[in-house]
Amino acid sequence: MAFCRQVLLQLRVMNAAARKVQQTYLTLILFNTLAASLIWGINTLFLLDAGLSNLEAFAANAFFTAGMVLFEIPTGVVADLRGRRLSFLLGALTLAVSTFLYFVMWQMAAPFWGWAVTSVLLGLGFTFFSGAMEAWLVDALLFTGYKGKVENVFAKGQIVMGIAMLTGSIGGGVIAQATNLGVPYIIRGIILAATFVMAFILMRDLGFNPKSGKHPVKEIKNILHSSIDHGLRNPPVRWVMLAAPFAAGVGIYGFYALQPYLLELWGNPHAYGIAGLTAAIVAGAQIAGGILVPHVGRYFKRRTTVLLTTIVLSTTTLTLMGLIPNFWVVIVLVVIWGLLYAATIPVRQAYINDLIPSEQRATVLSFDSLMSSGGGVVTQPVLGKAADAWSYQTSYLLSGGIYGLAIPFAILARRAGNRPNAKVADAISSYENPAKPAE
């Protein structure tokens, strides 16, 4: 009965145009995540099989996040100046090319510098996505008159991502075990090429007009200045952003290190299916977490309370992964960690979007992603070195400690949620559409 009421409510708040926007968003999320997740369960094993040490493998990942740091703002400006559709298309194309380069280097046993350069290109590809897709969705929903809660759309995106990740991660592990570690990368490149074609046909910039001025440098400066005003100079947004380097930076390592760590606990370094199962468990948790998001308001009245609670619980979960080196215990902790992550992201997205004007949306969201990537640049090689020098168990203990550094910022974010300009965004029960036009 409750499910039927929820469906009827969704039909009332979503007209045909808004429904088409949501369908396009979910379709692109599905194929984009499917392509990415084919290698998520085996990427660390792939790098180690290419002859890299733990330090080098996670340093390569750090170069990927460094690429995201370098290009987040420029690609966000591209999205805000020339269009979110163009940015997405450039991302799909860049990722397809750099994925094929990864495969070629694996075959050639390329030196570390080759992996570093290509990892930066991968980071560039993802920065074209970050901010642009989210900004495109929020502006398009506003343009088409969507009246519902946008975090419910983000939650559906989490569910679709989870389904795609579940399929891709299991499929990638099984394909690698049946063939070799390189085949999932070939398939990933093909799916990314197909995603490019779908985005070219389906995406249109609604509620956003690309800038066509004759002074692009001046336009870039104006966007960056406004983005800082609505980002780091805006306390409700600032504290959420400053928590990201610790939480997201550790999250990248924690996810990818699970592959060799669980194989070590399992006792078979060649059980690639187990490595794929790791990502599948996280994917399943994402699906469940996305389903739970519409019900968060029953237990929490403020979004910043949700953020603070999940950060504290995630810190505890990561620490326990290091304290209890048992395969089945770690599996349970991975499920909990995935649920926390999936329930947090839509709430965080809705909160930040409510505080950003449309004209600077992609750039501010890209800067937010930059903060996350910046944490990954530092934490991944440090924690990878800890795994080399001591053990994966020790690296997870350190991960919990670093993740916990986000707690003070989450507390400050909750206090900032009391400000007049943040109360509406922070209140779950009274919140409707976070997509607000620039004033």
Side-chain angles (χ1 to χ4, degrees):
M1 196 68 172
F3 176 76
C4 292
R5 285 198 300 269
Q6 187 177 350
V7 171
L8 290 173
L9 178 62
Q10 287 292 314
L11 290 174
R12 285 200 298 270
V13 301
M14 190 174 299
N15 56 41
R19 189 156 42 245
K20 185 176 180 181
V21 167
Q22 179 184 255
Q23 289 170 350
T24 298
Y25 170 72
L26 296 178
T27 298
L28 295 177
I29 285 288
L30 173 66
F31 283 92
N32 199 25
T33 306
L34 178 62
S37 62
L38 278 169
I39 69 166
W40 284 351
I42 60 169
N43 187 62
T44 305
L45 303 176
F46 177 83
L47 295 174
L48 295 175
D49 188 67
L52 302 182
S53 65
N54 274 308
L55 173 59
E56 290 173 327
F58 285 105
N61 284 343
F63 272 98
F64 162 73
T65 48
M68 295 186 73
V69 170
L70 285 172
F71 298 114
E72 279 289 6
I73 297 301
T75 54
V77 171
V78 167
D80 279 334
L81 278 179
R82 301 306 178 197
R84 287 75 192 266
R85 176 177 180 265
L86 174 62
S87 186
F88 188 93
L89 291 172
L90 289 172
L93 183 62
T94 305
L95 280 179
V97 172
S98 50
T99 296
F100 283 123
L101 284 176
Y102 244 46
F103 174 77
V104 171
M105 289 194 303
W106 173 73
Q107 284 194 315
M108 297 172 56
F112 175 75
W113 66 264
W115 295 100
V117 172
T118 309
S119 294
V120 171
L121 288 176
L122 282 169
L124 170 63
F126 274 101
T127 59
F128 279 116
F129 289 142
S130 63
M133 190 62 181
E134 190 174 324
W136 175 84
L137 172 68
V138 174
D139 286 338
L141 288 176
L142 173 64
F143 181 81
T144 54
Y146 176 65
K147 303 298 183 182
K149 296 181 179 180
V150 81
E151 72 262 47
N152 289 350
V153 181
F154 284 134
K156 290 179 182 178
Q158 285 290 110
I159 294 170
V160 170
M161 285 176 65
I163 293 170
M165 186 177 173
L166 183 66
T167 304
S169 55
I170 292 178
V174 171
I175 291 169
Q177 191 158 344
T179 55
N180 59 60
L181 286 165
V183 173
Y185 287 79
I186 297 176
I187 299 174
R188 182 195 196 199
I190 294 171
I191 295 176
L192 283 167
T195 303
F196 175 91
V197 174
M198 284 186 286
F200 186 84
I201 296 171
L202 296 174
M203 283 187 83
R204 294 291 181 271
D205 282 320
L206 302 175
F208 169 81
N209 295 315
K211 304 291 190 305
S212 57
K214 297 180 180 180
H215 304 286
V217 174
K218 183 179 179 180
E219 291 286 353
I220 290 172
K221 287 182 179 179
N222 289 338
I223 289 176
L224 288 176
H225 180 75
S226 297
S227 297
I228 291 173
D229 286 341
H230 296 288
L232 289 178
R233 289 178 181 168
N234 185 5
V237 178
R238 176 173 65 234
W239 300 124
V240 173
M241 284 186 172
L242 291 177
F246 305 104
V250 169
I252 297 170
Y253 173 83
F255 176 78
Y256 283 111
L258 278 172
Q259 299 162 25
Y261 185 35
L262 284 178
L263 288 184
E264 181 183 281
L265 295 177
W266 183 253
N268 182 357
H270 301 292
Y272 300 143
I274 293 293
L277 180 63
T278 304
I281 291 170
V282 175
Q286 275 194 290
I287 296 171
I291 293 172
L292 291 174
V293 167
H295 307 289
V296 168
R298 296 180 183 178
Y299 308 99
F300 297 93
K301 298 302 180 184
R302 298 176 58 181
R303 287 187 173 80
T304 50
T305 304
V306 176
L307 299 180
L308 175 59
T309 302
T310 54
I311 287 174
V312 171
L313 293 176
S314 294
T315 299
T316 304
T317 303
L318 281 166
T319 304
L320 290 174
M321 286 184 191
L323 286 174
I324 311 174
N326 176 277
F327 179 84
W328 295 110
V329 172
V330 172
I331 287 293
V332 171
L333 292 171
V334 170
V335 172
I336 295 172
W337 189 36
L339 282 170
L340 292 169
Y341 173 82
T344 302
I345 295 302
V347 174
R348 187 180 186 277
Q349 288 173 309
Y351 180 60
I352 290 181
N353 270 283
D354 193 30
L355 299 166
I356 306 172
S358 174
E359 291 185 357
Q360 291 82 36
R361 195 181 305 281
T363 306
V364 176
L365 293 175
S366 288
F367 187 79
D368 179 43
S369 183
L370 181 151
M371 298 294 288
S372 300
S373 301
V377 171
V378 177
T379 57
Q380 287 188 93
V382 168
L383 294 171
K385 180 62 177 178
D388 273 336
W390 297 299
S391 65
Y392 288 113
Q393 183 181 347
T394 302
S395 72
Y396 274 93
L397 288 172
L398 291 173
S399 295
I402 296 172
Y403 204 104
L405 295 176
I407 294 175
F409 295 104
I411 293 172
L412 290 170
R414 192 176 185 281
R415 292 177 180 174
N418 291 320
R419 289 172 174 258
N421 67 325
K423 281 187 176 181
V424 174
D426 200 19
I428 295 177
S429 58
S430 63
Y431 189 82
E432 287 300 326
N433 192 340
K436 292 184 177 179
E439 296 180 357

